[in-house]
Amino acid sequence: MTTVLEIENLKETLNRGDIKFPLESYVWSGYNFDNNIKMHWHSDVELVRFIKGDFSYTIKMQEYKIKDRAIAFIPANVLHSFILPSYSSESAVVFNPKMLPFSEYDESERALSKALIKGYTSLYNPITPDDPDFEYLDEAIDYIVTNSKDNSICSRLRIKSKLIEIFAILQSKGYFSEEEAIADTSSMQREDRVKHLLKYISENYPKNITVNETAEKLGFTTEYFCRFFKKNFGESFIEYLNDYRMDRAAQALLLTNLPVARIGENCGYQNSGYFFRVFKKKFGCTPNQFRTLKSSKN
């Protein structure tokens, strides 16, 4: 099981697990600051187990609020984001759906493969404890997270069987459709614009980018861009950009040995004193303290 501060990027291209078993698990538990996992998407399927805390997540531009326990299913290639509050607990399983079918699979596996890989999804709402299948699903995901690093054939077969059972239950609840849903053109255009915007931010956040420059690059007027951003992200462009830079800095502190000042520069902060102040305001400690405390915990 991997316990990490997982700060997602937008279009993820991470290799989950290994080529023989492309599955990874993540755990968020006990940190004394919020983790705002920005809007992103990936070609993998994700199962999220909310354990303790008041959570908020968005999928296909629809927000869901969770109090304590719940399970969320995130299909492949769908925009989503999470807000994980301080001192909360959450775990997730992320995997390549192509791992599920056997080499000679039957009609039921073919239907499941089509639903997961091509994204034939009908429902996105979370599953809560009042659902009769909740406890089984909760225990199954917990088993997968706990045993995801066991490389034995026996363990991997059990994990695979758990995943198939989970999706059989989701199928019975109407989460998947046999054919691709009729596209909502306006919704698709909105998602495409958001994806394009996220891509631009991820490629340019180390630079001194401005609202006017970003709006112009994306073909928007500044006024329309500000309204569009606020409506879709719930905050201003500058607020989002600063938070995004902080997340990138936190990730670099945990995953690299670069000097703190260099990390600040790489994240768009040329003034190290200002970088320290902004970082401490968000995380409640200096970058050096963050690196020491979180690295020792992990």
Side-chain angles (χ1 to χ4, degrees), residues 194-208:
V194 170
K195 287 181 177 180
H196 190 47
L197 175 54
L198 289 172
K199 185 174 186 296
Y200 179 80
I201 292 173
S202 75
E203 293 174 347
N204 293 279
Y205 74 91
K207 304 174 185 177
N208 184 28

Side-chain angles (χ1 to χ4, degrees), residues 26-83:
Y26 303 99
V27 173
W28 168 271
S29 181
Y31 291 100
N32 63 349
F33 55 88
D34 294 350
N35 186 9
N36 185 357
I37 301 177
K38 300 296 187 183
M39 203 175 296
H40 64 287
W41 74 100
H42 42 66
S43 57
D44 297 316
V45 173
E46 188 168 358
L47 291 166
V48 183
R49 179 174 175 253
F50 299 108
I51 304 167
K52 178 184 177 183
D54 295 341
F55 302 92
S56 173
Y57 76 96
T58 300
I59 180 168
K60 288 187 71 69
M61 317 306 289
Q62 174 68 45
E63 183 181 21
Y64 297 93
K65 292 186 180 296
I66 302 297
K67 186 173 180 62
D68 287 330
R69 304 174 70 203
I71 293 168
F73 162 59
I74 312 296
N77 297 309
V78 171
L79 277 172
H80 59 285
S81 63
F82 299 97
I83 296 179

